[in-house]
Amino acid sequence: MGRDLSALFDPVSVAVVGASDDPAKYGHAIAAQAIRANGRRPVHLVNRRGGTVLGRTAAPSLTAIGEDIDLAVVSVPAAGFDDAIDEALGCGARAIVAITAGFAETGEAGRMRQQAVAERVRAAGAVMIGPNCLGLADNTTDLFLASDTFTPGGVALLSQSGNLALELQLRFRPHDLGFSRFVSLGNQADVTLVDLLADCSRHEGTRAIAVYAEDFADGRAFAEAAAGAGKPVVLLTAGRGDASARSAQSHTGALTTSADVVTAACRDAGVQLVATPRELTVVLAALDGGRRAAGRRVAVLTDGGGHGVVAADAAEAAGLTVPELRPPTRQRLREALWEQSAVANPVDLAGMGEQDPGSYARTVSALLAAEEVDAVLMTGYFGGYAAADGGPGGGGGALADGEQAAASLIAAHHRATAKPLVVQSMYPRSPTCRTLTAAGIPVFEATEDAARALAATATPATPGAGGVTPLPRPAAPLRETGYLRTRRALEAAGLPFPAAREVHGEAELAAVTREFTGPYALKTLHSLHKSDAGGVALGLAGPDELLAAFREMHTRLGAPSYSVEAMADLSDGIELIVGVNRDPRFGPVAMVGLGGVLAEALHDVAFTLAPVSADRAGRLLRGLRTAALLDGVRGRPPVDVTAATAAVETITAFAAAHPEIAEIEVNPLLVRPHGVLALDSRAVLA
C-alpha cells in the first residue's frame, strides 16, 4: 500500500513558518503562493516578530495560532530549524515541508543532525519532505507551497532540481501539458522518491510521472515501484556516463558502467529513460493521451520526398521499422491519390497536398486502418499551406480553409482508432497544427522528436524488458570464493562443469591421469585472471604433456596448487560470458554476452537486474549483435539455447541469493548443440 502521504498533498490546514514580507527571502515566495488557495483550507503565516505579512496578521509562533496545524512549511535559518520542527510536531502536524538547508549536503555533522530530526518526525507519526527542498504543489487540491505557479495538467514532477521544473513549464505549453503535482525532493531524509512514486501511482489526477534524480538511494526499490506504477514513468538522470566508482576485479565489473545499470533497471521496469528536458517533454507529450502502439511498424506520410526519407531514417534510428505497405493498402492509397504519388512507404503525396489538403486526411485514414501499420508519422509542410495562402496567421482563403478542414478530419480519424499518430511540421504553431494538438495529436518541430515520440508509444522491443524479479531469500553465506570453492557451489546449484581435481605436486598429478583421461586443461589457482598471468594450458593430450606443462608453469609461477580438468571439445560450441555485479544502488546486475578471452574487446553484452528468468535470458541472448551464431553459421550446428538460458537463470539466482558476493562470473560458458559446460568461474566477496 505504501506510506500515507495525504497530509502532504491535501492537508486540513497549513502554516508557513518563516513567512516574510522581504522578497529576498524564500519564506516570502512560499507565503505568497500558499495564500492563493486560502478558500480551500486555513492558511496561517508565522513570523517570530508577529505583525503582518502580505497584509495578513502573522502569528509569532505556531503555538500562538491556538489550534492544531496539519501541515507546516519550515523556512527558517538552520539554527532555529530543530525548534521549529519540534514545535510543529507539538502542534499536531502530520506533515512537514522542510525548506531549510544546511544538513546532509554539508557533511557528516549535518547528516547526523538531519537523521535525528527525521527520527523525531517518524516517531511522532508524521512525514517530512526535505530538508533542503524547494517545496511542493498539488493543483488537484489547490495546495501551492512552492515559489512558482504550475499550469494544471496530468504530469506529476518529482525533481531534485527546481530550475528544471521552470524549464519544463515552458516546454510543456506548446503541447498543452501541465502538472498535477510538483515535489522538490531535497535530501529525502524521511519521504523518499520511492514513497512519492508509489503515492503518485495511486493519485487519480496524475496520468504520468516525470522524475529528475541525480542519484538513487535505493535504485532497486525505485525500479520495483516504477514497474508497478500502472502509468508511464519517465526518468531524466545525471551522471550516467561515469564508470562504477569501485575498482572492478572481473570482466563483468570492467564492462559494467553506471549508464549500463540505470539503462537496464529502466528497461526492466518499463521506465522511459531520457537524456534532456526536451526529450522528457517529447516522451510525455506522446504518452499523455494514453495511446500505445501494438508494435514498432511505422508508416511515414509526407508531401515532399526529402522530408519522408529523413523521417524514415529518424524512425529507424529510434528503433522503429518502416516496412513496405501491403498491396491492399497500396491499392487503397492509389485510389485516393494522384498518379505520381508514392505509396510504398514512405507515402509521398508528391505535391497533391498543396492542391488538395484533404488528401492528407484520406491518406491518414487509410494508413491508420492498415493491418501492417502500428503507428503513423506525418511529416513536412502540413500547417504551412494556410500560412502560404493568407500570411503567417493563416488569413483565410480556399487553401487555408481546406487545410483546416483536413485537420478536423485527421482529428476525427485519430479518434476512431487506438493507433498513435504523431506529426512533424515546419509550422507547429499554426492554427491547423493547434487543431491537431487540441485533439490529442502530438505535433513537433523536429523530425527526431516526432520519431522519439512514436518510439515511446511502441511496445518494448528491447530484449531485457519484463519487470523486476524480486530478490530471493539470502542463502547461507560463502566464507571463501577460491576457484574450486566457487565452482563447487555453482555445481551444487545445478550448473554443470567438466571433471576437475586440485593438485599440489606431481604425485597428485599422476593420480588424476588415472582417474580420467585427456585431453586435459591445467590452471593455476589463487590467481583471478589466470589467462593474463600465463596460468592456463589447454589441449594437453595425455599424461606426458600434462606433466611437462605442470613443470613449466610451476617453475614460472610457483603457485601452491593447480586445477587439472577434463578438456571440453570447443569445436562445435559458442563461448558466452555470464556475470553478476552487485551495484550499491540497484543490487545485483546481470551481464550476458559473447565470452571467452575476447569478452572485453568484443563488448557484445546485455544487462538486466538479477535474478534473470530463463525467458528473459533468451531475450537477452537474441538481442546480442552476434545472436546469429546461436543458430549456426558457415556449417556450424545450432547450439542449445534452452540449456544456455537455464544456465543463466541458475548463475544469476545463485548470485542474487548471496549478497556477500560483490562480483561473480562464469567465462566461458560453453554452449554446445546439446547442453552447456561452465569452463571457468570466479567470485569476489564484498
Side-chain angles (χ1 to χ4, degrees), residues 451-495:
R452 177 66 179 92
L454 277 186
T457 71
T459 301
T462 45
V468 179
T469 304
L471 292 174
R473 295 181 62 180
L478 300 179
R479 302 301 180 190
E480 297 180 33
T481 54
Y483 169 65
L484 291 177
R485 293 274 185 141
T486 302
R487 175 186 164 124
R488 291 187 197 112
L490 287 169
E491 280 185 302
L495 186 67

Side-chain angles (χ1 to χ4, degrees), residues 295-347:
R296 306 184 77 82
R297 302 168 299 174
V298 173
V300 174
L301 166 61
T302 183
D303 194 17
H307 274 113
V309 173
V310 170
D313 284 348
E316 292 181 345
L320 305 168
T321 63
V322 186
E324 186 174 2
L325 298 174
R326 295 172 184 169
T329 303
R330 296 203 300 270
Q331 180 60 36
R332 185 177 176 186
L333 290 171
R334 287 194 183 95
E335 294 170 358
L337 304 177
W338 59 17
E339 184 178 355
Q340 58 264 45
S341 299
V343 295
N345 199 16
V347 176

Side-chain angles (χ1 to χ4, degrees), residues 318-661:
L320 305 168
T321 63
V322 186
E324 186 174 2
L325 298 174
R326 295 172 184 169
T329 303
R330 296 203 300 270
Q331 180 60 36
R332 185 177 176 186
L333 290 171
R334 287 194 183 95
E335 294 170 358
L337 304 177
W338 59 17
E339 184 178 355
Q340 58 264 45
S341 299
V343 295
N345 199 16
V347 176
D348 183 3
L349 301 183
M352 188 176 184
E354 186 172 356
Q355 300 294 321
D356 175 15
S359 60
Y360 275 100
R362 296 192 297 273
T363 307
V364 166
S365 176
L367 294 176
L368 289 174
E371 292 183 2
E372 68 272 30
V373 172
D374 299 311
V376 175
L377 196 167
M378 191 168 86
T379 179
Y381 200 75
F382 190 83
Y385 299 115
D389 196 25
L399 193 55
D401 292 343
E403 186 180 60
Q404 188 62 52
S408 298
L409 282 173
I410 290 170
H413 296 320
H414 182 252
R415 286 192 296 271
T417 179
K419 294 180 180 180
L421 165 65
V422 168
V423 174
Q424 179 272 327
S425 172
M426 298 160 60
Y427 302 88
R429 294 167 185 82
S430 65
T432 43
C433 284
R434 292 301 300 164
T435 296
L436 298 179
T437 300
I441 300 170
V443 179
F444 302 98
E445 187 170 13
T447 306
E448 61 270 26
D449 289 347
R452 177 66 179 92
L454 277 186
T457 71
T459 301
T462 45
V468 179
T469 304
L471 292 174
R473 295 181 62 180
L478 300 179
R479 302 301 180 190
E480 297 180 33
T481 54
Y483 169 65
L484 291 177
R485 293 274 185 141
T486 302
R487 175 186 164 124
R488 291 187 197 112
L490 287 169
E491 280 185 302
L495 186 67
F497 283 81
R501 297 293 181 268
E502 183 176 7
V503 300
H504 300 81
E506 295 186 13
E508 292 177 346
L509 194 74
V512 169
T513 61
R514 294 191 293 272
E515 188 175 343
F516 55 87
T517 60
Y520 300 102
L522 177 66
K523 301 176 183 178
T524 181
L525 299 179
H526 313 288
S527 176
L528 197 61
H529 291 288
K530 294 181 283 293
S531 295
D532 295 345
V536 176
L538 304 176
L540 306 172
D544 293 339
E545 286 191 25
L546 176 61
L547 178 60
F550 175 82
R551 287 174 173 169
E552 187 278 331
M553 191 179 294
H554 189 56
T555 299
R556 182 164 41 83
L557 300 178
S561 61
Y562 301 82
S563 176
V564 179
E565 303 174 12
M567 180 70 188
D569 182 3
L570 306 179
S571 62
D572 60 357
I574 300 296
E575 292 184 343
L576 299 180
I577 180 173
V578 182
V580 178
N581 193 40
R582 190 165 291 272
D583 184 85
R585 302 165 301 166
F586 289 89
V589 180
M591 183 188 79
V592 178
L594 199 67
V597 295
L598 297 179
E600 287 186 43
L602 296 174
H603 206 291
D604 187 13
V605 293
F607 299 89
T608 186
L609 298 185
V612 184
S613 68
D615 181 61
R616 186 180 302 178
R619 293 197 297 273
L620 288 170
L621 290 172
R622 291 297 181 187
L624 297 174
R625 298 192 309 273
T626 51
L629 297 176
L630 301 171
D631 298 318
V633 294
R634 300 184 66 86
R636 294 172 65 91
V639 298
D640 192 343
V641 177
T642 300
T645 60
V648 172
E649 183 172 19
T650 297
I651 297 164
T652 60
F654 175 84
H658 286 276
E660 74 279 7
I661 295 178

Side-chain angles (χ1 to χ4, degrees), residues 654-674:
F654 175 84
H658 286 276
E660 74 279 7
I661 295 178
E663 302 171 33
I664 189 169
E665 176 180 291
V666 174
N667 180 36
L669 175 71
L670 181 65
V671 188
R672 307 174 70 178
H674 302 287

Side-chain angles (χ1 to χ4, degrees), residues 110-415:
R111 189 191 67 79
M112 296 295 291
R113 183 182 173 199
Q114 172 181 297
Q115 182 178 336
V117 170
E119 288 173 355
R120 295 203 299 278
V121 169
R122 285 192 290 268
V127 296
M128 179 177 71
I129 291 286
N132 187 33
C133 80
L134 298 176
L136 60 82
D138 189 323
N139 281 322
T140 68
T141 62
D142 296 331
L143 183 71
F144 311 122
L145 302 177
S147 61
D148 296 284
T149 302
F150 296 95
T151 303
V155 177
L157 174 62
L158 312 177
S159 178
Q160 285 185 280
S161 167
N163 285 343
L164 178 69
L166 301 182
E167 178 176 351
L168 291 177
Q169 174 93 312
L170 298 174
R171 290 187 176 277
F172 278 13
R173 285 174 183 163
H175 302 285
D176 290 347
L177 291 173
F179 298 87
S180 58
R181 289 173 168 176
F182 162 72
V183 183
S184 170
L185 297 174
N187 292 359
Q188 302 181 66
D190 177 41
V191 174
T192 67
L193 169 60
V194 173
D195 296 327
L196 291 164
L197 183 59
D199 193 78
C200 289
S201 71
R202 300 188 295 268
H203 183 227
E204 291 185 1
T206 294
R207 295 191 299 272
I209 304 167
V211 178
Y212 173 71
E214 296 165 1
D215 195 11
F216 302 89
D218 189 340
R220 194 176 190 98
F222 167 79
E224 291 173 348
K231 55 188 67 172
V233 178
V234 186
L235 172 65
L236 171 61
T237 188
R240 289 188 288 135
D242 295 333
S244 174
R246 180 178 47 77
S247 177
Q249 299 185 60
S250 66
H251 291 99
T252 301
L255 288 166
T256 306
T257 68
S258 297
D260 295 321
V261 174
V262 174
T263 301
C266 288
R267 183 185 58 227
D268 292 350
V271 172
Q272 294 277 345
L273 182 61
V274 298
T276 64
R278 169 178 154 181
E279 187 184 0
L280 187 146
T281 303
V282 166
V283 170
L284 288 170
L287 299 177
D288 187 58
R291 289 175 181 253
R292 300 294 180 272
R296 306 184 77 82
R297 302 168 299 174
V298 173
V300 174
L301 166 61
T302 183
D303 194 17
H307 274 113
V309 173
V310 170
D313 284 348
E316 292 181 345
L320 305 168
T321 63
V322 186
E324 186 174 2
L325 298 174
R326 295 172 184 169
T329 303
R330 296 203 300 270
Q331 180 60 36
R332 185 177 176 186
L333 290 171
R334 287 194 183 95
E335 294 170 358
L337 304 177
W338 59 17
E339 184 178 355
Q340 58 264 45
S341 299
V343 295
N345 199 16
V347 176
D348 183 3
L349 301 183
M352 188 176 184
E354 186 172 356
Q355 300 294 321
D356 175 15
S359 60
Y360 275 100
R362 296 192 297 273
T363 307
V364 166
S365 176
L367 294 176
L368 289 174
E371 292 183 2
E372 68 272 30
V373 172
D374 299 311
V376 175
L377 196 167
M378 191 168 86
T379 179
Y381 200 75
F382 190 83
Y385 299 115
D389 196 25
L399 193 55
D401 292 343
E403 186 180 60
Q404 188 62 52
S408 298
L409 282 173
I410 290 170
H413 296 320
H414 182 252
R415 286 192 296 271

